[in-house]
Amino acid sequence: MARNSVSLSVPEPSWFTPKRLLVIFCVINLLNYVDRGAIASNGVNGSQGTCTSSGTCTSGSGIQGEFNLNNFEDGILSSAFMVGLLVASPIFASLAKSVNPFRLIGVGLSVWTLATTGCGFSFNFWSITICRMLVGVGEASFISLAAPFIDDNAPVAQKTAWLAIFYMCIPTGYALGYVYGGLVGSYLNWRFAFWVEAIMMLPFAILGFVMKPLQLKGFAPAESRKALISMETAIPEVQEALNVKGSAESMKEEFGHTFSKLKCALFNLNRFSRFTKDMKELLVDKVYVVNVLGYCAYNFVLGAYSYWGPKAGYNIYKMSDADLIFGGITIVCGIFGTLAGGYVLDLMTSTISNAFKLLSMATFVGAIFCFTAFCFKSMYAFLALFSIGELLVFATQGPVNFICLHCVKPSLRPLSMALSTVSIHIFGDVPSSPLVGVLEDSVNNWRETALILTSILFPAAGIWFIGTFLHSVDRFNEDSEGQVTEVDRSNTTPLLGPKVAEARESSDGVLRLECSERLQHLVHADCLLIITLLFNDCIVLH
């Protein structure tokens, strides 16, 4: 019997290299957090109007002044953004199994661009609240999927360092946002800050649609239409290899009809069942749960710091340029702290246990410095101690996300990142911003408010310390459903280099096994079981 080799090619993803991917994602992440920093700056957020005892009143400035918001309503703007992020993150993560993740990022960034433009045109509290919620929806796709892409393509010995570079954009973006918002608010209207952000993000939103899409480790190709076309092309050769009786055209027609009926019947049930199973697997993982719990407490403090920091600094230490001072400190400490955290973990050997050790120690010592800083009345003593504290606190960004990515199997990483994002916001910075606003309205003392807030870092360090005693396994290289090991196990250039998987000539039994693997790799992930059963029927008939 003549044997034909089946050649199946993975599309070349254009000019992408791992370093270019990292740079593009870092710029996008930077713009996301510039937006968050800008709305928290005194130049864009502004202040309430005030009236003296003599009856002299001054108009407010920025968003808070123009819409006449109290501190609680002002804090709601931060929470509204997070609500959109929370709702959309698990949706995008779930869609990653049936839609190409790179295209999902393009959709999300398009929503982000339109919503940010809408913030500039808002006319009252509710309009800007809705737009901020949609900005969160747009960011959700990127936050859930970017880190797995980077982890796939980073050099094996530098995975934590690459993640640290990516997450370095969080404090750097916030800090640049403070400075950017302060400058725009001083020389232009606060609305221009949002319009400029939208213009800068637009090219990246377009890029998500025009670039050849990438695949994530642990997932079968998601573009089912192309997959089915390739499968139809391969069927005659598979049929000849198996010597199946009958016409090739008849087999394809019957196979396609049966496949369509079964797919329609089981698609929704299969997706819901799989999502439920994946969620249960994450929630019973002690390492993952402990990591996220510590991250929630940590983010409760960092979220309030980022939103209220410039205003607290202005009121406690009478900083005339609070946006620039806080922005400068955060840029320097964020860059060096985040990079140092990733670099130190790589030096320690990147393991989950070592990551927990670094998290607990850096957070505990950093909390001591930050708490002590607010006890000093001297602005210079505060700045020196707070800078050291921020340096240590920001060292957690690489290790904490390394644990989220490596304590689960590859196919669960988007959902792992999405659930982590949802949790740290719903229990972290979503309630912290308005609660700190309520606390300040009650005590009317920013120093006391800051001390109470900072003390929450100590429980975060304690929770992560518990993680050092848990049994942990790095599951990054575990096989996942729909995975072809020769293609997806490569750690050097797993997705960005052109790769071709070819079936070698062999005995009938080996050839049948290889053909089955190729079909499973091509077919939509939701129907792998169906295709396998149908294919086995063909083998039985033969």
Side-chain angles (χ1 to χ4, degrees):
M1 181 181 67
R3 296 185 180 93
N4 294 329
S5 62
V6 181
S7 178
L8 303 172
S9 300
V10 178
E12 294 184 19
S14 189
W15 54 271
F16 263 156
T17 64
K19 288 184 179 179
R20 284 174 178 165
L21 177 74
L22 178 64
V23 170
I24 290 173
F25 279 2
C26 282
V27 174
I28 295 172
N29 205 28
L30 193 70
L31 287 174
N32 281 328
Y33 283 90
V34 163
D35 172 73
R36 297 199 200 184
I39 197 172
S41 68
N42 289 324
V44 173
N45 188 266
S47 60
Q48 295 173 304
T50 58
C51 292
T52 63
S53 56
S54 61
T56 304
C57 295
T58 58
S59 59
S61 61
I63 296 172
Q64 191 173 18
E66 186 166 333
F67 297 148
N68 194 27
L69 309 180
N70 58 36
N71 286 332
F72 175 74
E73 291 172 327
D74 196 14
I76 288 293
L77 294 182
S78 175
S79 297
F81 167 86
M82 296 303 173
V83 168
L85 192 70
L86 302 180
V87 172
S89 289
I91 295 175
F92 279 114
S94 179
L95 287 173
K97 288 197 172 185
S98 56
V99 181
N100 192 282
F102 202 67
R103 293 291 183 251
L104 290 176
I105 290 176
V107 172
L109 295 183
S110 300
V111 173
W112 190 98
T113 303
L114 292 173
T116 306
T117 304
C119 289
F121 288 105
S122 58
F123 51 87
N124 60 17
F125 169 71
W126 289 110
S127 64
I128 194 170
T129 298
I130 292 172
C131 287
R132 292 308 297 171
M133 192 178 300
L134 291 175
V135 171
V137 171
E139 188 176 320
S141 66
F142 180 75
I143 292 298
S144 302
L145 302 171
F149 271 124
I150 292 172
D151 196 54
D152 275 356
N153 296 285
V156 177
Q158 298 177 341
K159 286 185 178 293
T160 315
W162 278 43
L163 286 173
I165 292 172
F166 176 71
Y167 285 104
M168 175 193 70
C169 297
I170 295 178
T172 305
Y174 261 122
L176 289 175
Y178 294 153
V179 177
Y180 164 72
L183 293 175
V184 171
S186 299
Y187 296 101
L188 299 170
N189 189 279
W190 60 267
R191 298 177 185 273
F192 283 89
F194 296 112
W195 294 334
V196 173
E197 290 170 10
I199 292 172
M200 295 176 69
M201 184 65 83
L202 182 59
F204 297 102
I206 296 173
L207 188 68
F209 293 103
V210 300
M211 291 299 299
K212 292 183 179 180
L214 306 178
Q215 291 296 145
L216 273 175
K217 178 181 174 70
F219 291 89
E223 296 187 286
S224 56
R225 192 171 298 177
K226 291 182 180 180
L228 287 174
I229 292 173
S230 300
M231 183 180 65
E232 288 178 358
T233 304
I235 281 178
E237 296 180 74
V238 175
Q239 185 184 38
E240 182 181 350
L242 299 175
N243 197 21
V244 178
K245 305 295 184 182
S247 168
E249 292 296 326
S250 175
M251 177 182 177
K252 285 191 292 182
E253 182 179 351
E254 182 180 354
F255 179 80
H257 180 66
T258 305
F259 171 74
S260 298
K261 291 172 62 177
L262 290 172
K263 180 177 175 11
C264 292
L266 298 178
F267 178 77
N268 292 328
L269 180 62
N270 182 43
R271 171 172 288 182
F272 178 76
S273 175
R274 184 177 57 198
F275 178 77
T276 305
K277 179 183 176 182
D278 290 346
M279 284 291 293
K280 181 179 179 181
E281 188 170 344
L282 286 177
L283 294 176
V284 298
D285 189 326
K286 294 179 181 178
V287 172
Y288 180 78
V289 170
V290 168
N291 185 52
V292 172
L293 286 176
Y295 204 7
C296 290
Y298 168 91
N299 210 57
F300 187 95
V301 179
L302 266 290
Y305 270 0
S306 62
Y307 195 75
W308 295 111
K311 192 165 292 186
Y314 176 79
N315 284 276
I316 297 173
Y317 297 104
K318 308 303 178 186
M319 298 179 186
S320 57
D321 296 319
D323 288 340
L324 294 176
I325 293 174
F326 264 85
I329 291 175
T330 307
I331 285 176
V332 175
C333 296
I335 290 175
F336 286 101
T338 308
L339 290 178
Y343 181 72
V344 170
L345 183 57
D346 282 333
L347 285 181
M348 296 170 64
T349 303
S350 298
T351 65
I352 294 174
S353 178
N354 284 342
F356 273 125
K357 292 174 184 176
L358 184 58
L359 287 172
S360 58
M361 184 59 66
T363 305
F364 182 75
V365 179
I368 293 175
F369 276 96
C370 290
F371 189 90
T372 306
F374 283 108
C375 295
F376 280 86
K377 294 184 178 180
S378 167
M379 183 180 72
Y380 298 104
F382 164 78
L383 292 177
L385 292 171
F386 190 74
S387 297
I388 299 173
E390 274 203 331
L391 191 71
L392 290 164
V393 167
F394 281 126
T396 61
Q397 292 298 322
V400 72
N401 288 286
F402 174 86
I403 295 174
C404 282
L405 290 169
H406 284 254
C407 71
V408 300
K409 61 187 181 183
S411 63
L412 286 180
R413 290 184 305 162
L415 186 60
S416 168
M417 296 303 296
L419 185 59
S420 171
T421 301
V422 168
S423 301
I424 65 174
H425 290 312
I426 200 169
F427 299 111
D429 50 9
V430 166
S432 71
S433 294
L435 285 177
V436 169
V438 170
L439 178 62
E440 174 56 25
D441 285 339
S442 176
V443 302
N444 197 27
N445 186 322
W446 275 107
R447 188 188 303 276
E448 186 176 331
T449 299
L451 288 171
I452 293 173
L453 175 66
T454 304
S455 63
I456 300 175
L457 285 174
F458 293 105
I463 294 171
W464 277 328
F465 183 68
I466 294 173
T468 61
F469 299 99
L470 298 176
H471 175 68
S472 56
V473 177
D474 192 325
R475 307 180 65 186
F476 177 77
N477 287 317
E478 286 190 12
D479 293 339
S480 304
E481 70 263 24
Q483 200 173 357
V484 178
T485 56
E486 284 86 354
V487 176
D488 288 330
R489 277 182 178 171
S490 173
N491 286 326
T492 52
T493 55
L495 301 175
L496 303 181
K499 292 187 282 290
V500 178
E502 296 185 355
R504 62 187 178 274
E505 292 187 359
S506 58
S507 63
D508 289 349
V510 175
L511 183 58
R512 290 175 184 177
L513 178 60
E514 289 177 353
C515 291
S516 177
E517 289 177 350
R518 302 307 178 194
L519 284 176
Q520 288 184 21
H521 184 61
L522 285 168
V523 175
H524 195 290
D526 292 304
C527 300
L528 289 177
L529 180 59
I530 299 171
I531 301 304
T532 304
L533 293 174
L534 291 173
F535 195 82
N536 287 339
D537 287 341
C538 293
I539 295 176
V540 172
L541 288 173
H542 173 65

PDB file of all heavy atoms in Angstrom, residues 282-298:
ATOM      1  N   LEU A 282      -9.162  24.817  40.203  1.00  0.00           N
ATOM      2  CA  LEU A 282      -8.417  25.949  40.757  1.00  0.00           C
ATOM      3  C   LEU A 282      -8.736  26.167  42.238  1.00  0.00           C
ATOM      4  O   LEU A 282      -7.841  26.406  43.049  1.00  0.00           O
ATOM      5  CB  LEU A 282      -8.740  27.228  39.971  1.00  0.00           C
ATOM      6  CG  LEU A 282      -8.141  27.379  38.577  1.00  0.00           C
ATOM      7  CD1 LEU A 282      -8.620  28.668  37.934  1.00  0.00           C
ATOM      8  CD2 LEU A 282      -6.619  27.364  38.637  1.00  0.00           C
ATOM      9  N   LEU A 283     -10.005  26.088  42.588  1.00  0.00           N
ATOM     10  CA  LEU A 283     -10.426  26.419  43.948  1.00  0.00           C
ATOM     11  C   LEU A 283     -10.009  25.374  44.981  1.00  0.00           C
ATOM     12  O   LEU A 283      -9.993  25.675  46.179  1.00  0.00           O
ATOM     13  CB  LEU A 283     -11.947  26.611  43.987  1.00  0.00           C
ATOM     14  CG  LEU A 283     -12.461  27.830  43.199  1.00  0.00           C
ATOM     15  CD1 LEU A 283     -13.978  27.890  43.220  1.00  0.00           C
ATOM     16  CD2 LEU A 283     -11.878  29.129  43.761  1.00  0.00           C
ATOM     17  N   VAL A 284      -9.686  24.155  44.554  1.00  0.00           N
ATOM     18  CA  VAL A 284      -9.226  23.145  45.505  1.00  0.00           C
ATOM     19  C   VAL A 284      -7.702  23.066  45.555  1.00  0.00           C
ATOM     20  O   VAL A 284      -7.144  22.282  46.321  1.00  0.00           O
ATOM     21  CB  VAL A 284      -9.802  21.749  45.166  1.00  0.00           C
ATOM     22  CG1 VAL A 284     -11.321  21.765  45.248  1.00  0.00           C
ATOM     23  CG2 VAL A 284      -9.328  21.269  43.799  1.00  0.00           C
ATOM     24  N   ASP A 285      -7.037  23.901  44.754  1.00  0.00           N
ATOM     25  CA  ASP A 285      -5.571  23.935  44.754  1.00  0.00           C
ATOM     26  C   ASP A 285      -5.105  24.850  45.885  1.00  0.00           C
ATOM     27  O   ASP A 285      -5.229  26.072  45.812  1.00  0.00           O
ATOM     28  CB  ASP A 285      -5.074  24.450  43.396  1.00  0.00           C
ATOM     29  CG  ASP A 285      -3.562  24.316  43.231  1.00  0.00           C
ATOM     30  OD1 ASP A 285      -2.839  24.467  44.238  1.00  0.00           O
ATOM     31  OD2 ASP A 285      -3.106  24.077  42.097  1.00  0.00           O
ATOM     32  N   LYS A 286      -4.556  24.270  46.954  1.00  0.00           N
ATOM     33  CA  LYS A 286      -4.177  25.050  48.138  1.00  0.00           C
ATOM     34  C   LYS A 286      -3.110  26.089  47.813  1.00  0.00           C
ATOM     35  O   LYS A 286      -3.149  27.212  48.330  1.00  0.00           O
ATOM     36  CB  LYS A 286      -3.679  24.111  49.240  1.00  0.00           C
ATOM     37  CG  LYS A 286      -4.743  23.183  49.794  1.00  0.00           C
ATOM     38  CD  LYS A 286      -4.173  22.275  50.868  1.00  0.00           C
ATOM     39  CE  LYS A 286      -5.235  21.327  51.398  1.00  0.00           C
ATOM     40  NZ  LYS A 286      -4.680  20.398  52.423  1.00  0.00           N
ATOM     41  N   VAL A 287      -2.156  25.731  46.968  1.00  0.00           N
ATOM     42  CA  VAL A 287      -1.086  26.671  46.620  1.00  0.00           C
ATOM     43  C   VAL A 287      -1.676  27.890  45.918  1.00  0.00           C
ATOM     44  O   VAL A 287      -1.349  29.040  46.257  1.00  0.00           O
ATOM     45  CB  VAL A 287      -0.040  25.986  45.719  1.00  0.00           C
ATOM     46  CG1 VAL A 287       0.971  27.002  45.196  1.00  0.00           C
ATOM     47  CG2 VAL A 287       0.673  24.876  46.473  1.00  0.00           C
ATOM     48  N   TYR A 288      -2.558  27.649  44.978  1.00  0.00           N
ATOM     49  CA  TYR A 288      -3.170  28.748  44.236  1.00  0.00           C
ATOM     50  C   TYR A 288      -4.017  29.627  45.155  1.00  0.00           C
ATOM     51  O   TYR A 288      -3.935  30.869  45.102  1.00  0.00           O
ATOM     52  CB  TYR A 288      -4.032  28.189  43.105  1.00  0.00           C
ATOM     53  CG  TYR A 288      -4.718  29.252  42.276  1.00  0.00           C
ATOM     54  CD1 TYR A 288      -4.014  29.951  41.308  1.00  0.00           C
ATOM     55  CD2 TYR A 288      -6.056  29.558  42.483  1.00  0.00           C
ATOM     56  CE1 TYR A 288      -4.640  30.940  40.542  1.00  0.00           C
ATOM     57  CE2 TYR A 288      -6.688  30.542  41.735  1.00  0.00           C
ATOM     58  CZ  TYR A 288      -5.974  31.225  40.773  1.00  0.00           C
ATOM     59  OH  TYR A 288      -6.593  32.206  40.034  1.00  0.00           O
ATOM     60  N   VAL A 289      -4.821  29.005  46.006  1.00  0.00           N
ATOM     61  CA  VAL A 289      -5.722  29.758  46.886  1.00  0.00           C
ATOM     62  C   VAL A 289      -4.935  30.616  47.870  1.00  0.00           C
ATOM     63  O   VAL A 289      -5.254  31.798  48.087  1.00  0.00           O
ATOM     64  CB  VAL A 289      -6.667  28.791  47.631  1.00  0.00           C
ATOM     65  CG1 VAL A 289      -7.443  29.528  48.720  1.00  0.00           C
ATOM     66  CG2 VAL A 289      -7.639  28.132  46.654  1.00  0.00           C
ATOM     67  N   VAL A 290      -3.895  30.052  48.499  1.00  0.00           N
ATOM     68  CA  VAL A 290      -3.088  30.818  49.456  1.00  0.00           C
ATOM     69  C   VAL A 290      -2.400  31.990  48.753  1.00  0.00           C
ATOM     70  O   VAL A 290      -2.342  33.109  49.291  1.00  0.00           O
ATOM     71  CB  VAL A 290      -2.054  29.904  50.144  1.00  0.00           C
ATOM     72  CG1 VAL A 290      -1.026  30.732  50.920  1.00  0.00           C
ATOM     73  CG2 VAL A 290      -2.756  28.940  51.090  1.00  0.00           C
ATOM     74  N   ASN A 291      -1.883  31.753  47.568  1.00  0.00           N
ATOM     75  CA  ASN A 291      -1.230  32.815  46.823  1.00  0.00           C
ATOM     76  C   ASN A 291      -2.190  33.967  46.529  1.00  0.00           C
ATOM     77  O   ASN A 291      -1.854  35.140  46.716  1.00  0.00           O
ATOM     78  CB  ASN A 291      -0.677  32.260  45.511  1.00  0.00           C
ATOM     79  CG  ASN A 291       0.122  33.278  44.724  1.00  0.00           C
ATOM     80  OD1 ASN A 291       1.042  33.910  45.251  1.00  0.00           O
ATOM     81  ND2 ASN A 291      -0.217  33.452  43.464  1.00  0.00           N
ATOM     82  N   VAL A 292      -3.400  33.633  46.099  1.00  0.00           N
ATOM     83  CA  VAL A 292      -4.377  34.665  45.746  1.00  0.00           C
ATOM     84  C   VAL A 292      -4.882  35.393  47.002  1.00  0.00           C
ATOM     85  O   VAL A 292      -5.109  36.610  46.969  1.00  0.00           O
ATOM     86  CB  VAL A 292      -5.541  34.054  44.951  1.00  0.00           C
ATOM     87  CG1 VAL A 292      -6.650  35.063  44.752  1.00  0.00           C
ATOM     88  CG2 VAL A 292      -5.050  33.558  43.590  1.00  0.00           C
ATOM     89  N   LEU A 293      -5.049  34.682  48.118  1.00  0.00           N
ATOM     90  CA  LEU A 293      -5.486  35.330  49.357  1.00  0.00           C
ATOM     91  C   LEU A 293      -4.479  36.391  49.813  1.00  0.00           C
ATOM     92  O   LEU A 293      -4.854  37.504  50.197  1.00  0.00           O
ATOM     93  CB  LEU A 293      -5.689  34.292  50.469  1.00  0.00           C
ATOM     94  CG  LEU A 293      -6.934  33.412  50.360  1.00  0.00           C
ATOM     95  CD1 LEU A 293      -6.944  32.367  51.478  1.00  0.00           C
ATOM     96  CD2 LEU A 293      -8.207  34.258  50.418  1.00  0.00           C
ATOM     97  N   GLY A 294      -3.194  36.038  49.771  1.00  0.00           N
ATOM     98  CA  GLY A 294      -2.171  37.019  50.115  1.00  0.00           C
ATOM     99  C   GLY A 294      -2.172  38.186  49.146  1.00  0.00           C
ATOM    100  O   GLY A 294      -2.012  39.348  49.550  1.00  0.00           O
ATOM    101  N   TYR A 295      -2.396  37.885  47.877  1.00  0.00           N
ATOM    102  CA  TYR A 295      -2.426  38.918  46.844  1.00  0.00           C
ATOM    103  C   TYR A 295      -3.606  39.876  47.061  1.00  0.00           C
ATOM    104  O   TYR A 295      -3.512  41.075  46.784  1.00  0.00           O
ATOM    105  CB  TYR A 295      -2.511  38.244  45.480  1.00  0.00           C
ATOM    106  CG  TYR A 295      -1.999  39.058  44.319  1.00  0.00           C
ATOM    107  CD1 TYR A 295      -1.360  40.282  44.493  1.00  0.00           C
ATOM    108  CD2 TYR A 295      -2.146  38.584  43.010  1.00  0.00           C
ATOM    109  CE1 TYR A 295      -0.885  41.010  43.409  1.00  0.00           C
ATOM    110  CE2 TYR A 295      -1.666  39.302  41.922  1.00  0.00           C
ATOM    111  CZ  TYR A 295      -1.047  40.516  42.136  1.00  0.00           C
ATOM    112  OH  TYR A 295      -0.577  41.230  41.061  1.00  0.00           O
ATOM    113  N   CYS A 296      -4.733  39.351  47.544  1.00  0.00           N
ATOM    114  CA  CYS A 296      -5.910  40.188  47.815  1.00  0.00           C
ATOM    115  C   CYS A 296      -5.604  41.226  48.897  1.00  0.00           C
ATOM    116  O   CYS A 296      -5.922  42.419  48.746  1.00  0.00           O
ATOM    117  CB  CYS A 296      -7.092  39.318  48.248  1.00  0.00           C
ATOM    118  SG  CYS A 296      -7.804  38.301  46.939  1.00  0.00           S
ATOM    119  N   ALA A 297      -5.010  40.760  50.018  1.00  0.00           N
ATOM    120  CA  ALA A 297      -4.673  41.681  51.101  1.00  0.00           C
ATOM    121  C   ALA A 297      -3.651  42.719  50.635  1.00  0.00           C
ATOM    122  O   ALA A 297      -3.753  43.911  50.957  1.00  0.00           O
ATOM    123  CB  ALA A 297      -4.138  40.900  52.301  1.00  0.00           C
ATOM    124  N   TYR A 298      -2.678  42.256  49.886  1.00  0.00           N
ATOM    125  CA  TYR A 298      -1.644  43.153  49.342  1.00  0.00           C
ATOM    126  C   TYR A 298      -2.273  44.209  48.429  1.00  0.00           C
ATOM    127  O   TYR A 298      -1.968  45.408  48.520  1.00  0.00           O
ATOM    128  CB  TYR A 298      -0.636  42.293  48.578  1.00  0.00           C
ATOM    129  CG  TYR A 298       0.343  43.027  47.705  1.00  0.00           C
ATOM    130  CD1 TYR A 298       1.581  43.439  48.196  1.00  0.00           C
ATOM    131  CD2 TYR A 298       0.053  43.282  46.367  1.00  0.00           C
ATOM    132  CE1 TYR A 298       2.496  44.097  47.384  1.00  0.00           C
ATOM    133  CE2 TYR A 298       0.961  43.941  45.547  1.00  0.00           C
ATOM    134  CZ  TYR A 298       2.174  44.343  46.052  1.00  0.00           C
ATOM    135  OH  TYR A 298       3.076  44.991  45.249  1.00  0.00           O
TER     136      TYR A 298
END
